[in-house]
Amino acid sequence: MLLVPVLKQKLRTQLLNLIALASSLAALAALLDPDRVAIAMGVFLVGVNGYSQFFAMYVGVRAATAALALLAARQADQPVLGDITALFVLAQPAGRFVAAFAIGLPQGLLLVVCGIELAAGLLLLALRPRLRAAAP
């Protein structure tokens, strides 16, 4: 059935575009109002180093994730780009899972964000196309 792989590819491309949009909007929000975003995430920004680290993670990494997702959506013939995007997206809930052992699960909005990240990353991997064996 050719329809199923085509449908999976369309869904994967749409999900990658959605991840690119969400990541770029998150980066833009952090860029425009870092204090508000930091407070919403439970982060306290102190001094130049605090802001520098915040911008590195919440602007730089999210913008890179957005660019990678957009590239993966445009290069559907290279599924590894989508896999790398999924790893970037899944790295955040994985880090929160590790932190949960020491201090507990995130609360409120951050718990919702964590659930969305986990669902998006796993769905992206589930929609990965199967590689066809090369003809002899």
Side-chain angles (χ1 to χ4, degrees):
M1 287 203 146
L2 186 60
L3 182 62
V4 173
V6 171
L7 180 60
K8 277 178 69 172
Q9 186 56 46
K10 277 188 171 187
L11 290 173
R12 183 173 164 97
T13 299
Q14 289 176 344
L15 180 57
L16 284 162
N17 283 322
L18 184 61
I19 289 169
L21 178 64
S23 295
S24 61
L25 289 175
L28 182 63
L31 179 67
L32 295 177
D33 198 349
D35 293 310
R36 178 178 281 169
V37 172
I39 289 168
M41 296 296 143
V43 177
F44 299 101
L45 301 179
V46 178
V48 174
N49 286 350
Y51 279 90
S52 178
Q53 185 63 19
F54 175 85
F55 275 84
M57 299 304 299
Y58 286 87
V59 177
V61 172
R62 290 188 192 275
T65 301
L68 181 59
L70 198 58
L71 179 64
R74 304 294 179 260
Q75 302 284 330
D77 60 331
Q78 297 181 25
V80 71
L81 294 173
D83 296 347
I84 295 168
T85 303
L87 291 176
F88 266 78
V89 172
L90 290 170
Q92 294 180 65
R96 292 185 184 107
F97 179 73
V98 171
F101 286 105
I103 56 175
L105 290 172
Q107 299 173 349
L109 177 63
L110 197 53
L111 184 59
V112 173
V113 168
C114 182
I116 292 169
E117 291 165 343
L118 186 60
L122 292 176
L123 184 57
L124 196 53
L125 292 176
L127 291 171
R128 186 184 203 283
R130 291 188 176 179
L131 297 178
R132 292 191 170 95

